Amino acid sequence: MSGAMIFIKEELGISDTQQEVLAGILNICALFGSLAAGRISDYVGRRYTISMASILFMLGAILMGYGPNYAILMTGRCVAGVGVGFALMIAPVYSAEISSAKSRGLLTSLPELCIGIGILLGYILNYVFGKFLPLKLGWRLMLGVAAIPSLALAIGILFMPESPRWLVIRGHLPKAKKVLLQISNTKQEAENRFNDIKLAAGIGDENNSLAAKENQNGKSVWKELLLHPSPPVRWMLMTAIGIHFFEHATGIEAVMLYSPRIFRKAGVTSKEHLLLTTIGVGLTKITFLVIASFLLDRVGRRKLLLVSLGGMVCALAVLGFSLTMVEGSPEKKLAWGLTLSIVATYTFVAFFNIGLGPVTWVYSSEIFPLRLRAQGASIGVAVNRVMNATVSMSFISIYKAITIGGAFFMFSGISIVAWLFFYFFMPETKGKALEEMEMVFTRKSHRDVAAAETHNNTR
């Protein structure tokens, strides 16, 4: 959509407001998709929910590729948005539930890495289609070609194993044990994981236990999450909402979706050069997502996040400064301002994707107890989509009101608030089994750990 909007505006003659709505409506629809996906995934399973998301992607891509007018384009964007909501909620949860504690950071970050690869492919295809195809065909292929990988995913996911944790809460203990034998390194590891999952789900050895039946209806889940949460669950929910809120409140969507406008403001003029600079954004995103994937289980979530936000604060401040200088220049084209703007943009994308980007999805998918995981994750994704829509649908209006440099100074200030929030409220989860998370989010356990460390240091 980032590259397609350049050509959509030219052919359909849509206004800036219509562009904002077209960009942001996907996330409004994703909000409803994510809230529905939590309950659906508990009912039909994680795999089938991913398959449903893929079918919605495909239908949305076909409608957008057809796109004879703005109304059909909006309809396709909405259908795809519901699929986005499904996928953003279920993909990290599925990855977390089939992973061991030692490799969960790497495996759960893979959906975000693959999104980055998809964005890069989108930027490259935007350049190719925009350069070599007629206007009417080029942007439609940019949007319609997404139907091909959607179909591949819808079919391919059916050959993957179901989440063993979902199988346990549905009472399918033999199937769960079989899957764990497939995805564990040893039979003993599979047995240990199986027992831990049963214990967390409140299920004994009997396949048809009362606990399993209670887990199936899920009627009390929303009450336990929102109305009467325990202190650890309240802390988990606050942290999950916070990390999803700040992922987009710090401005990444403004850079990813409106990068052509940013580079145009900085002094890049031709469409070809605008699309080439956005390819650089995609390459930067993938490079640092790969690095982050291997650091998550070594360095930990908390350290990566704090380093990430520190870098983002500086990069956003530099970007705000350089764009302010260019906009205030009589020539409207300062060579150093253009260079600094591009470097600052790439630096911001790099720091975001080495921490805040992947950690958001890893962290929110792993912290909730088994009985609350799907709905807890869906609340986080709903907040994520609201903030994504808010930024994508208001960025043009914001920078027109306070200048484009002022907009990025604002994002820099929000990043400082985010750093403080995570410093004080985010416990480390590296190396912890999913079944241990309630203990991690119990304040008494943190006091005990701190006391033990102090005692060891004084000996």
Side-chain angles (χ1 to χ4, degrees):
M1 184 57 75
S2 174
M5 278 200 297
I6 301 172
F7 304 98
I8 292 170
K9 182 176 183 180
E10 185 175 333
E11 183 184 341
L12 301 184
I14 62 176
S15 65
D16 282 347
T17 301
Q18 287 176 308
Q19 281 189 80
E20 286 182 320
V21 173
L22 182 62
I25 196 67
L26 178 139
N27 298 296
I28 298 295
C29 297
L31 161 66
F32 298 104
S34 65
L35 290 173
R39 187 71 190 97
I40 289 171
S41 71
D42 276 348
Y43 184 71
V44 304
R46 312 316 196 202
R47 285 187 312 156
Y48 288 121
T49 306
I50 294 174
S51 192
M52 290 169 64
S54 305
I55 293 168
L56 289 167
F57 289 154
M58 184 171 63
L59 293 174
I62 291 169
L63 283 171
M64 286 189 289
Y66 171 56
N69 53 51
Y70 185 72
I72 299 295
L73 202 56
M74 283 286 290
T75 303
R77 188 80 166 153
C78 287
V79 173
V82 177
V84 166
F86 270 65
L88 288 178
M89 175 262 142
I90 195 59
V93 168
Y94 176 74
S95 299
E97 290 189 345
I98 65 170
S99 307
S100 67
K102 291 182 179 179
S103 59
R104 192 174 60 245
L106 169 64
L107 295 179
T108 311
S109 69
L110 289 181
E112 181 70 9
L113 173 60
C114 292
I115 288 172
I117 293 171
I119 289 172
L120 176 61
L121 289 174
Y123 285 150
I124 293 171
L125 290 176
N126 283 350
Y127 175 74
V128 173
F129 292 154
K131 183 175 177 65
F132 298 107
L133 293 178
L135 173 65
K136 289 187 177 182
L137 181 61
W139 68 262
R140 288 181 171 86
L141 274 178
M142 291 177 191
L143 302 178
V145 74
I148 298 171
S150 302
L151 179 60
L153 178 59
I155 297 171
I157 192 64
L158 301 179
F159 294 93
M160 299 297 290
E162 183 52 87
S163 160
R165 288 172 169 88
W166 180 81
L167 291 169
V168 167
I169 63 172
R170 302 300 292 183
H172 304 306
L173 303 189
K175 290 182 181 178
K177 193 167 186 178
K178 184 179 178 181
V179 171
L180 283 166
L181 287 169
Q182 288 180 298
I183 63 176
S184 299
N185 291 321
T186 65
K187 187 174 181 180
Q188 185 60 48
E189 181 189 338
E191 192 68 38
N192 292 340
R193 290 173 69 180
F194 183 58
N195 291 333
D196 288 344
I197 294 168
K198 284 198 302 177
L199 184 63
I203 296 174
D205 292 331
E206 299 82 5
N207 288 7
N208 296 317
S209 69
L210 177 63
K213 291 179 180 178
E214 289 175 348
N215 275 325
Q216 288 185 36
N217 64 53
K219 291 181 180 178
S220 63
V221 168
W222 289 112
K223 186 182 295 185
E224 190 175 349
L225 264 175
L226 300 176
L227 299 180
H228 306 293
S230 64
V233 170
R234 188 182 300 115
W235 188 2
M236 291 171 185
L237 188 62
M238 179 185 70
T239 308
I241 289 173
I243 199 167
H244 278 287
F245 173 87
F246 285 117
E247 184 187 25
H248 289 290
T250 49
I252 189 61
E253 195 65 14
V255 171
M256 298 305 296
L257 194 57
Y258 294 106
S259 52
R261 278 180 177 257
I262 295 168
F263 294 135
R264 184 183 286 123
K265 286 282 186 180
V268 180
T269 52
S270 75
K271 290 178 185 176
E272 184 178 329
H273 289 158
L274 285 173
L275 293 175
L276 280 172
T277 50
T278 58
I279 290 174
V281 172
L283 282 170
T284 304
K285 180 179 178 70
I286 287 182
T287 301
F288 284 87
L289 277 172
V290 170
I291 295 171
S293 297
F294 291 100
L295 291 178
L296 279 164
D297 291 314
R298 297 181 182 181
V299 176
R301 286 62 153 155
R302 178 183 164 85
K303 288 181 182 177
L304 272 183
L305 192 60
L306 294 178
V307 169
S308 169
L309 281 161
M312 287 166 58
V313 168
C314 298
L316 286 166
V318 172
L319 181 57
F321 168 76
S322 59
L323 288 172
T324 300
M325 292 296 100
V326 171
E327 201 167 32
S329 171
E331 305 90 30
K332 293 289 182 182
K333 190 170 182 180
L334 293 176
W336 67 265
L338 170 59
T339 303
L340 192 59
S341 296
I342 294 173
V343 170
T345 300
Y346 289 177
T347 303
F348 168 68
V349 172
F351 274 106
F352 175 87
N353 286 287
I354 205 168
L356 184 56
V359 170
T360 295
W361 300 99
V362 172
Y363 201 80
S364 62
S365 66
E366 69 184 0
I367 60 176
F368 290 101
L370 177 59
R371 65 190 180 280
L372 309 176
R373 187 168 299 130
Q375 282 91 332
S378 73
I379 291 173
V381 175
V383 172
N384 188 285
R385 294 299 92 188
V386 167
M387 290 311 302
N388 191 311
T390 300
V391 173
S392 59
M393 296 177 77
S394 64
F395 178 68
I396 296 176
S397 301
I398 289 171
Y399 85 63
K400 284 184 175 179
I402 63 173
T403 74
I404 193 163
F408 286 104
F409 282 127
M410 177 190 74
F411 289 134
S412 182
I414 294 171
S415 298
I416 294 173
V417 176
W419 192 95
L420 293 171
F421 176 87
F422 294 120
Y423 180 81
F424 288 107
F425 294 108
M426 181 180 178
E428 182 58 75
T429 56
K430 180 188 74 168
K432 302 291 184 182
L434 294 180
E435 289 69 37
E436 295 181 72
M437 291 302 170
E438 283 189 84
M439 181 59 68
V440 172
F441 280 83
T442 300
R443 293 188 182 276
K444 183 177 182 300
S445 70
H446 285 278
R447 288 196 297 269
D448 292 344
V449 169
E453 288 178 351
T454 303
H455 178 68
N456 289 336
N457 289 336
T458 57
R459 289 178 64 181

